[in-house]
């Protein structure tokens, strides 16, 4: 008799599968204020690992963390015209504080360009102060009409980088460095998502930017998810805030700026890139728990052995957890760890002990086999790296299989409707074609060069638009 | 000729010295909305180290991190009467979101008991779910009428722990464990502040708690700073939210709870505990930069050597930074690192190189001496531990010298006015005496037992009240 599925199968209803995974793997709950979310410990553990991995790369790129206020005076928002237009409909406004109506309402930051630039204008005096490279880990609020946990929430967690440079070239190169060495390196090598790196079309750029670099991942339903962006802001904000530096030759020059962000949305991307009908599959390099060691039953020797194995794995540098909750049936616990996508389960019962073996269940390729207990600390690192590589390969193959080269807008729409992406020459599409696609809810995800690199401008010859439906 | 002091001397005007240090060491700026702050990279680096150290201890105590929404429906606050009364005057209220007036206004969390308990009531079903041990790193907002950077800000950063237990004893023991193994261990052994552990008098308890444990540090002006608190909440919130578990024998029981928090206020405590007229002194175990290696002048061999020393120190596990900004005068850079309180400076010039030595300047005890460059990686760890111990000893000696045993309220007020604390039998003082002290802005910081331990109840025989002025 077939088991009743724990989750709605992906093929039946992908959005419902997504919500099922979030509930059953205990990743998050909806918050009481519409569009907000409660990130539960397992979901937050995944986010913490994302933070650690990104933070190390951000620091290696020379940026330092700081913290700017949650509340921004409403008047600040009006300083950069395009920017305020982009964010005005999404703002949350604080009108009362300390029991009184405020003289000037404060908005809850939807992003921090405005407040950070106010301080950059004070802190930047001389060329010696440049480049100024700042990052912030924070919560931001953008009122969402159609919220979806992790993907689109009224409040979300993110990092936002903000930098000021002496020259256009230095700002451009830094935005590209973050795009490549921080975001792409993390997403490909840790998240195991084979993201496409490109630049946004003018219509899809960040409000106030002169160039937006993006990383687009293909989800298992063929839709795109924007996983992170890095913007060249040019001198738009510098002019609005009069942020100038004294150059070596004594002139007062406007700075050139960048900003860049990635958020809890990546947790949604992780779920939809790697999850299957049995739940999540977490890439080992990211996984907060790489290996769980389960006691099959309440037996003294078994309990002692699982703890011993757990300690040996931890000593070997593996993120291991022991599951000795034998007052919950073993089958239920095994399904639970499968739902949570822990890469490897080591299952230990009395019979295994006698043989000096345990069952190794691998979540990512699937399958179970007995292994010698003593060999686990040396065996598992290789197993985990194999699983990491497999997830990335599956992500790349899916993207390649479901991406079609087309010449017409009709074919592009058809490719998106079939659950995939289309590649179409940007010269054939243009802003006009982009507007046509929008009628079918298809968007230009990014522009890439023929050789797959990031084009230097929107109108570089041979530029290709990658289009599809998106979250 | 004496140098003009960079900072207002502590003896002249302690509050102004405090503000000077914050500005000159580039720790923080005031934010544009009254009472908010911008934490600059060096200040945030100190906070990040506090977070790392605390987070490791919190995880060792079995709690897991999670994240709850910033916005709480206004109606939630009314659920626990004492709690809402405590926080109502300090709330920030969001009335508009997404361009519309909200049906129900949302408050910005002043603390998260209310929203977390709403979820605890859903998540706790059976005794198997207990204890439920959750921690959150977040920003909170309490509207401040008399703001002071780090000490009292409208928005601040903190961690707040929230737990649910099956029994009174288990909750009581966990609150005590956090108080001792997380907070006291961190404050004494990392911050080098000789905090006093005690329980709050009933008048000073957290709104909604049945017991509040506190850690009080004596600042260099003799005033007290509450550095962290751990609360037993009893069943007050469990009743308000009907948070019950199915016990082993099948009855539905209310849980027992704790909550506990520490915040960016500790940065203020660090400044006021260890700072002197030359700036901050950061305890080496906490310091984001333990050692700075300075190139005295722009000389190729010198620059190569400071980088080599920096790399050798980093390889030896020391948090080292290289200062090769030779376009800024050496004297200015030396004063700047002194202001920032970096424990050790290694100064390298061309003459030193020839001798194979460098100058080692020690910020904590003061003084400079030449040391062999090759010996630095083995010498410095011991130097840093010595400095760590010295700061703690100075903190303890100051507290002991400035604490007086008294029998009368008049003498207690006099001791506080002289810049110190008084110890007075709680049986002599009582709630009535406490109200009298308040007229002179003196408060009961905590209650301790005669042997210095934490009393089991407010009326345990021999209980002593420690009283003083406080931040």
């Amino acid at each position: 008799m077939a088991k009743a599925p724990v989750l709605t199968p992906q093929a039946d209803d992908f959005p419902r599968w997504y919500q099922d995974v979030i509930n059953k793997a205990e990743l998050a709950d909806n918050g009481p204020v519409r569009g907000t979310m409660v990130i539960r410990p397992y979901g937050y553990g995944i986010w913490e690992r994302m933070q650690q991995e990104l933070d190390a790369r951000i620091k290696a790129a020379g940026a330092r963390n700081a913290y700017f206020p949650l509340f921004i005076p409403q008047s600040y928002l009006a300083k950069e015209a395009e920017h305020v237009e982009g964010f005005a409909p999404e703002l949350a406004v604080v009108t009362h504080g300390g029991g009184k109506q405020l003289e000037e309402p404060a908005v809850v930051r939807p992003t921090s360009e405005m407040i950070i630039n106010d301080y950059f204008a004070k802190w930047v005096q001389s060329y010696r102060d440049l480049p100024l490279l700042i990052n912030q880990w924070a919560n931001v609020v953008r009122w969402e009409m159609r919220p979806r946990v992790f993907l689109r929430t009224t409040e979300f967690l993110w990092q936002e980088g903000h930098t000021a440079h002496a020259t256009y070239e230095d700002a451009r190169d830094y935005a590209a460095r973050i795009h490549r060495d921080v975001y792409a390196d993390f997403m490909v090598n840790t998240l195991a998502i084979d993201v496409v790196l490109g630049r946004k079309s003018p219509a899809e750029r960040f409000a106030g930017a002169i160039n937006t670099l993006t990383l687009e991942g293909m989800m298992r339903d063929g839709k795109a998810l924007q996983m992170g962006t890095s913007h060249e802001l040019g001198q738009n904000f510098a002019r609005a805030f009069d942020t100038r530096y004294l150059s070596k030759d004594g002139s007062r020059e406007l700075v050139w700026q960048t900003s860049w962000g990635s958020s809890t949305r990546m947790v949604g991307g992780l779920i939809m890139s790697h999850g299957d009908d049995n739940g999540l599959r977490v890439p080992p390099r990211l996984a907060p728990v790489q290996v769980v060691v389960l006691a099959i039953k309440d037996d003294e020797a078994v309990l002692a052995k699982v703890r011993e194995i757990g300690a040996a794995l931890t000593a070997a540098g593996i993120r291991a957890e022991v599951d000795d909750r034998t007052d919950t049936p073993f089958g239920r616990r095994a399904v639970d760890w499968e739902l949570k996508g822990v890469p490897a389960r080591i299952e230990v019962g009395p019979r295994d002990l006698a043989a000096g073996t345990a069952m190794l269940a691998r979540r990512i390729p699937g399958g179970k086999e007995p292994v010698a207990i003593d060999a686990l600390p040396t065996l598992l690192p290789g197993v985990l790296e194999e699983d990491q590589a497999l997830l990335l390969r599956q992500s790349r193959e899916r993207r390649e299989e479901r991406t079609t080269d087309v010449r017409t807008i009709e074919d592009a729409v058809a490719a998106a409707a079939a659950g995939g992406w289309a590649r179409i020459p940007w010269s054939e599409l243009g802003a006009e074609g982009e507007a046509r696609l929008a009628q079918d809810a298809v968007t230009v995800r990014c522009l890439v060069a023929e050789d797959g690199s990031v084009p230097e401008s929107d109108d570089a010859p041979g530029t290709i638009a990658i289009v599809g439906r998106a979250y």
Side-chain angles (χ1 to χ4, degrees), chain A:
Chain A
M1 201 178 75
K3 282 190 296 181
V6 177
L7 307 172
T8 305
Q10 289 188 339
D12 291 3
D13 186 340
F14 194 82
R16 198 159 150 196
W17 167 85
Y18 176 75
Q19 193 53 58
D20 281 358
V21 171
I22 285 170
N23 296 340
K24 297 286 172 80
E26 299 184 337
L27 296 172
D29 277 2
N30 288 313
V33 170
R34 188 177 152 73
T36 62
M37 64 177 161
V38 173
I39 309 180
R40 300 187 68 174
Y42 188 61
Y44 198 81
I46 290 173
W47 173 240
E48 275 184 308
R49 288 280 309 128
M50 291 182 175
Q51 287 187 299
Q52 287 165 13
E53 291 280 332
L54 278 170
D55 197 66
R57 287 169 174 84
I58 289 167
K59 284 178 173 147
R64 299 170 73 196
N65 290 335
Y67 188 78
F68 293 81
L70 175 70
F71 295 148
I72 303 176
Q74 207 166 33
S75 58
Y76 275 42
L77 265 287
K79 291 197 182 184
E80 213 284 342
E82 264 188 81
H83 187 74
V84 67
E85 203 184 311
F87 285 104
E90 303 177 348
L91 298 176
V93 186
V94 177
T95 53
H96 291 72
K100 285 190 196 152
Q101 180 152 8
L102 301 180
E103 283 179 31
E104 181 182 356
V107 304
V108 181
R109 61 179 164 222
T111 178
S112 302
E113 271 76 7
M114 286 302 167
I115 194 154
I116 288 183
N117 274 285
D118 192 30
Y119 288 86
F120 273 25
K122 292 173 200 169
W123 297 342
V124 173
Q125 300 290 332
S126 130
Y127 70 92
R128 289 190 194 85
D129 301 322
L130 298 176
L132 178 58
L133 312 173
I134 297 285
N135 180 59
Q136 163 170 280
W137 290 97
N139 53 345
V140 286
V141 170
R142 300 176 187 177
W143 217 266
E144 273 297 342
M145 294 306 149
R146 288 183 304 279
R148 194 109 169 251
V149 175
F150 289 122
L151 296 174
R152 210 172 268 285
T153 48
T154 290
E155 179 191 8
F156 57 91
L157 305 183
W158 78 346
Q159 63 65 220
E160 50 179 319
H162 297 269
T163 70
H165 304 258
T167 64
Y168 162 76
E169 288 76 14
D170 196 46
R172 178 198 62 195
D173 292 350
Y174 199 76
R177 178 176 176 185
I178 294 291
H179 189 225
R180 182 186 62 238
D181 296 349
V182 175
Y183 294 151
D185 185 66
F186 168 69
M187 290 171 194
V188 174
N189 295 321
T190 305
L191 292 190
I193 299 178
D194 191 50
V195 285
V196 169
L197 279 69
R199 59 188 285 146
K200 286 287 185 191
S201 64
E204 296 280 337
R205 258 181 220 143
F206 178 70
I210 61 168
N211 182 26
T212 290
L213 302 171
T214 182
L215 303 100
E216 303 282 326
M218 183 188 278
M219 305 295 106
R220 281 167 78 104
D221 61 352
K223 287 169 81 170
L225 184 72
Q226 177 182 304
M227 305 276 296
T229 47
S230 182
H231 314 291
E232 290 175 54
L233 300 176
Q235 297 183 310
N236 290 338
F237 289 87
R239 265 189 296 273
F241 287 85
D242 197 35
T243 309
R244 290 177 186 273
Y245 69 97
L246 196 67
S247 73
K248 281 191 190 179
D249 59 20
S251 58
R252 294 201 0 102
E253 306 288 343
L254 289 170
V255 298
W256 295 84
Q257 296 186 260
T258 80
S259 72
W260 26 280
S262 63
S263 73
T264 36
R265 177 165 237 231
M266 289 186 293
V267 180
L270 181 82
I271 299 168
M272 295 193 298
S273 287
H274 301 313
D276 65 18
D277 286 348
N278 297 317
L280 206 54
R281 296 189 303 166
V282 186
R285 289 190 197 158
L286 181 75
V289 183
Q290 296 177 306
V291 179
V292 61
V293 189
L294 289 101
I296 294 180
K297 54 191 269 184
D298 187 10
D299 170 294
E300 216 168 294
V302 166
L303 291 173
K305 185 53 86 177
V306 294
R307 285 168 199 150
E308 186 192 312
I309 297 172
L313 297 181
T314 302
I318 294 169
R319 291 186 291 277
E321 196 167 308
V322 168
D323 178 351
D324 53 10
R325 297 169 299 147
T326 48
D327 54 358
T328 301
F330 168 71
R332 210 173 112 190
R333 289 183 286 134
V335 166
D336 187 52
W337 290 114
E338 194 164 70
L339 276 165
K340 288 192 157 72
V342 170
R345 296 198 307 278
I346 310 292
E347 304 172 351
V348 182
R351 260 176 306 184
D352 302 300
L353 273 198
T357 61
M359 288 303 283
L360 165 62
R362 288 172 65 176
R363 178 66 182 91
I364 291 163
K368 258 192 191 194
E369 55 173 353
V371 291
I373 287 176
D374 292 344
L376 286 170
T378 48
L379 175 74
L380 282 171
V383 165
L384 295 173
E385 277 301 294
E386 211 177 285
D387 292 351
Q388 179 82 28
L390 176 60
L391 283 178
L392 181 61
R393 190 161 70 241
Q394 289 177 347
S395 171
R396 187 176 59 246
E397 286 171 359
R398 178 173 62 246
R399 182 176 61 75
E400 285 169 354
E401 277 164 22
R402 297 216 200 163
T403 301
T404 320
D405 279 292
V406 302
R407 305 292 305 182
T408 69
I409 291 173
E410 290 66 34
D411 288 350
V413 169
W421 295 354
R423 288 162 50 90
I424 182 170
W426 178 233
S427 58
E428 308 264 326
L429 191 64
E432 212 171 298
E434 196 174 3
R436 282 268 314 277
L437 288 177
Q439 297 169 5
D440 290 288
V442 177
T443 48
V444 175
R445 303 315 308 153
C446 62
L447 306 178
V448 298
E450 267 167 309
D451 63 0
S453 66
V454 181
E456 302 239 328
S457 70
D458 303 338
D459 49 12
T463 295
I464 291 159
I466 296 182
V467 310
R469 297 212 166 132
Y471 282 95

